[in-house]
Each structure stands twice: as C-alpha cells, then as structure tokens.
C-alpha cells in the first residue's frame, strides 16, 4: 500500500513539474513568405534529364491548342521535331493532329535580342499558317525561351515576318 502511494505521489509530482520548459508570453514571429518561389534570374529548372511537362501546340478543329507531354525537355530545335512527329497516342485519340511537315527537319533554333530564330530545312513560305502557329507557340512556351517575345521562321532562302503566339 505504501509502495502504491509512493508511486502515485511520484506520478503526480512528475506531472506537476511538466517537461522543464518555463512558461512565457507570446513570442512574435515574421510574416508568412510571399513573392516568387525563386529569386530573379533563377527559374528553379529541374536537373538535366528530369521529367517535367513539355508544352506542344497541336491542331484540333482547325485551332492550335496546347498539349502537355511529360518527359525530359528537349533542346528547342527538338520541339520542332516533336511537332513534326505528331501527337502521341493519347493526344491523337483526342483528335489532335499536326501540320508541321517532316520536310521541315532538321531545324536549328537560335536567339537574337528579343526573338527566337528558327531555321527550317524547307521553304517556310510553303508552311500553312497553322503549322507556323504551332511552331511559334511551342517555341515561345518553352521555359528556356520564356523571356523572348517573337519567333522568326526562315528556311529555303525565305524568311517570314516575326510572329507572336496567337492560337
């Protein structure tokens, strides 16, 4: 009985002393974080080869529509190759097509001032307006070219005027 009383008193004493942290008043803190997730000039771009969404513009019902495709982002010229290859099985089943011809490949992409320069392997004046829109919108949606505002398509000794994305 005495043993039991001692155990109960020890438990009560332990509970009464708490965990050793002394009470205090309210401690003020800083405000919640706000602003961009990354500092200016840093995009938080994943490591090379990391999977992320790539935005390609395909055609459905005569309109150019963005379609996300998961995978490692290619170089900008590779985006034109992806357009020429057409939609994947899932997008094709959704009624998407492409008007970018295989003859446009290989393509090169460079930048100058505020524009993207895309040089195709074929005469750019033979591209449909929809195919040109597909290329322009896809290139301008690429994260590595995000700060640029226009695309100049050239090929076959011809050059189209600088274009913006107007899907």
């Amino acid at each position: 009985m005495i043993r039991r009383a001692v155990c109960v008193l020890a438990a009560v004493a332990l509970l009464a002393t708490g965990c050793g942290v002394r009470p205090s008043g309210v401690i003020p803190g800083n405000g919640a974080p706000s602003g961009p997730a990354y500092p200016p000039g840093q995009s938080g771009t994943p490591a090379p080869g990391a999977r992320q969404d790539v935005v390609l513009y395909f055609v459905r019902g005569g309109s150019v529509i963005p379609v996300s495709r998961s995978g490692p982002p290619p170089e900008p010229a590779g985006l034109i190759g992806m357009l020429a290859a057409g939609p994947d099985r899932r997008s094709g089943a959704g009624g998407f097509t492409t008007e970018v011809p295989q003859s446009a490949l290989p393509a090169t992409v460079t930048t100058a001032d505020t524009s993207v320069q895309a040089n195709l392997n074929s005469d750019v004046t033979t591209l449909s307006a929809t195919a040109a829109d597909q290329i322009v919108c896809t290139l301008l949606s690429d994260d590595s070219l995000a700060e640029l505002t226009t695309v100049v398509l050239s090929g076959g000794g011809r050059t189209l005027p600088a274009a913006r994305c107007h899907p």
Side-chain angles (χ1 to χ4, degrees):
M1 179 80 151
I2 293 178
R3 191 177 196 160
R4 181 178 253 188
V6 170
C7 286
V8 169
L9 286 175
V12 170
L14 183 64
L15 288 173
T17 60
C19 63
V21 176
R22 296 182 184 178
S24 68
V26 174
I27 300 172
N30 292 333
S34 64
Y38 299 98
Q42 295 181 5
S43 65
T45 304
R51 296 187 70 78
Q52 69 179 42
D53 285 343
V54 176
V55 178
L56 302 167
Y57 280 75
F58 287 112
V59 182
R60 183 171 65 187
S63 297
V64 177
I65 300 171
V67 175
S68 291
R69 193 180 284 181
S70 184
E75 293 296 317
L79 294 169
I80 298 171
M82 293 173 79
L83 290 173
D88 60 12
R89 187 175 310 161
R90 181 177 49 103
S91 298
F96 289 96
T97 61
T98 188
E99 290 191 16
V100 177
Q102 287 287 329
S103 62
L105 304 176
T108 59
V109 175
T110 58
T111 60
D113 298 320
T114 60
S115 69
V116 179
Q117 312 288 317
N119 187 25
L120 308 182
N121 192 48
S122 58
D123 184 346
V124 291
T125 61
T126 63
L127 287 176
S128 69
T130 303
D133 284 345
Q134 281 185 264
I135 296 169
V136 169
C137 291
T138 297
L139 289 175
L140 290 178
S141 70
D142 184 56
D143 286 342
S144 69
L145 304 172
E147 306 218 353
L148 304 173
T149 57
T150 60
V151 175
V152 176
L153 297 175
S154 61
R158 310 246 178 151
T159 301
L160 298 178
R164 296 179 186 270
C165 181
H166 300 288

